[in-house]
Structures are given as structure tokens and as C-alpha cells.
């Protein structure tokens, strides 16, 4: 286990509702090719902090990698709706492009 992974787990243990820490832990698992653990962290973040905008692009991309395109499409659509609601033009553009790419690949 990497030192960074250990630190993130420890910090998340102290602050279990910290969305950024959960996201960072998911990304670290992803980096270490622990796909199921990364997906678990993204799913927990999605459930507990659905307003965390950074979640949608990365979660859907990993779902696609894991051949879960239908779920990825749903995540993209929800992220697009949230970006529209919050006025986050950058995230909206990224999510729309990613969704289009997924649609073209199906």
C-alpha cells in the first residue's frame, strides 16, 4: 500500500463526510489499478455528496472502462443536469463532450 493511500485512508477515517478526501481516495485507488475499490469510493461519494461536481466525469469514465456504459450514461446525464443547475459551464462542456463520445461508441 502506498504512503499516499495510507494517509488518505487515515484522513478519511477522521473526516468520513469529506467529499474531497473520498474523491482523492478514489483517484488513488484508480491510479493503483484497484478498480473495484475506486468504484466503491465513487459510489459512496455519489450517494453521500451528489453535489460534488468532480465526481461525475471521473466516475462515468471508470464505469466505461469497467464496461458499465449504461450506468456511465446515467452518471453523465445527472452530472450535466447538476452543471446546468449550478451554472458550471466548464463541467457542463466536459460532461456533454464525454456523453457524446460515449453515445458515438455505443
Amino acid at each position: 500500500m502506498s504512503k499516499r493511500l495510507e494517509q488518505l485512508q487515515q484522513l478519511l477515517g477522521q473526516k468520513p463526510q469529506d467529499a474531497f478526501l473520498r474523491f482523492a481516495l478514489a483517484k488513488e485507488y484508480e491510479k493503483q489499478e484497484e478498480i473495484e475499490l475506486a468504484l466503491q469510493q465513487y459510489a459512496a461519494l455519489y450517494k453521500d455528496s451528489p453535489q460534488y461536481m468532480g465526481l461525475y466525469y471521473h466516475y462515468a469514465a471508470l464505469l466505461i472502462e469497467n464496461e458499465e456504459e449504461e450506468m456511465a450514461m446515467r452518471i453523465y446525464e445527472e452530472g450535466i443536469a447538476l452543471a446546468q443547475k449550478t451554472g458550471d459551464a466548464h463541467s457542463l462542456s466536459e460532461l456533454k463532450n464525454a456523453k457524446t463520445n460515449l453515445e458515438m461508441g455505443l
Side-chain angles (χ1 to χ4, degrees):
M1 180 182 306
S2 78
K3 185 170 178 78
R4 178 166 168 75
L5 185 58
E6 208 172 290
Q7 290 173 329
L8 287 168
Q9 288 174 332
Q10 185 177 43
L11 288 169
L12 192 59
Q14 296 168 3
K15 298 179 181 180
Q17 299 305 317
D18 189 309
F20 175 76
L21 288 174
R22 188 162 302 280
F23 179 77
L25 184 58
K27 291 304 293 175
E28 190 63 25
Y29 279 133
E30 200 174 335
K31 179 179 166 186
Q32 295 195 18
E33 298 182 14
E34 295 282 354
I35 303 307
E36 286 305 315
L37 293 173
L39 287 170
Q40 288 173 13
Q41 292 302 315
Y42 284 130
L45 182 58
Y46 175 73
K47 178 180 177 262
D48 297 336
S49 301
Q51 75 285 355
Y52 191 79
M53 196 71 237
L55 155 75
Y56 292 90
Y57 180 88
H58 297 278
Y59 187 20
L62 191 57
L63 285 166
I64 292 167
E65 187 178 312
N66 205 44
E67 299 181 4
E68 297 180 54
E69 290 86 0
E70 192 173 305
M71 177 69 168
M73 185 64 74
R74 193 175 102 222
I75 296 298
Y76 281 143
E77 289 169 352
E78 290 180 21
I80 288 167
L82 178 62
Q84 288 172 329
K85 181 179 175 184
T86 61
D88 186 339
H90 177 73
S91 294
L92 180 60
S93 175
E94 280 188 335
L95 290 165
K96 281 185 172 183
N97 286 337
K99 180 180 179 265
T100 298
N101 288 339
L102 177 57
E103 289 169 336
M104 291 172 59
L106 292 179

